[in-house]
Amino acid sequence: MIMAPTMQRPAGMEKWNTTLEAAAIMDNADIPFVFAGGYEGYVPKARVLLWETAVAIANGLDKQKAIEAATIVPARLWGIDKQVGSIETGKDADLVLFDGDPFEYTTHVKAVLINGEQVH
């Protein structure tokens, strides 16, 4: 399941079953899901994956399951999980390092590595 952006305003019949607990409900039902990014036409900015993930955690999703929904689950969905999606020997070393919990508003990115090399 690809989850619609949490903060995107639902329209029409979508409102009938809209809930911020959707990710937790999917997880409790053992239905694999990933977070989708998106935007609203009148707000010219992409929805941030960390925000989507944090909202799901704040509304009942286990933090480890949230991390998996943003990393290894989409890698499996796209068939590239042998290369990316988790930290393992032999995989691409694409990492973001934070100075705290990445889902906390006050946390900052300290470094970004692509293929093991720091980029700026």
Side-chain angles (χ1 to χ4, degrees):
M1 171 70 70
I2 299 174
M3 304 283 293
T6 306
M7 299 307 291
Q8 185 171 336
R9 294 186 180 152
M13 293 189 324
E14 293 173 351
K15 293 179 185 177
W16 293 354
N17 295 305
T18 299
T19 177
L20 293 176
E21 292 85 14
I25 291 167
M26 300 292 283
D27 181 52
N28 289 334
D30 291 324
I31 299 171
F33 64 91
V34 299
F35 299 107
Y39 67 93
E40 294 171 337
Y42 64 92
V43 180
K45 64 181 182 179
R47 301 298 183 197
V48 179
L49 178 61
L50 282 175
W51 175 259
E52 298 292 335
T53 308
V55 169
I57 293 167
N59 286 280
L61 183 62
D62 174 76
K63 188 179 281 190
Q64 183 59 40
K65 295 289 185 125
I67 292 169
E68 291 170 5
T71 57
I72 192 64
V73 177
R76 286 184 192 130
L77 176 70
W78 297 322
I80 58 173
D81 55 305
K82 301 282 189 247
Q83 181 181 350
V84 297
S86 61
I87 302 171
E88 296 179 52
T89 302
K91 288 191 172 186
D92 294 356
D94 299 338
L95 303 167
V96 179
L97 305 176
F98 300 91
D99 64 2
D101 183 337
F103 307 112
E104 292 292 333
Y105 183 74
T106 57
T107 297
H108 304 94
V109 172
K110 298 307 281 184
V112 175
L113 298 122
I114 298 178
N115 290 321
E117 299 291 325
Q118 188 169 359
V119 295
H120 301 280

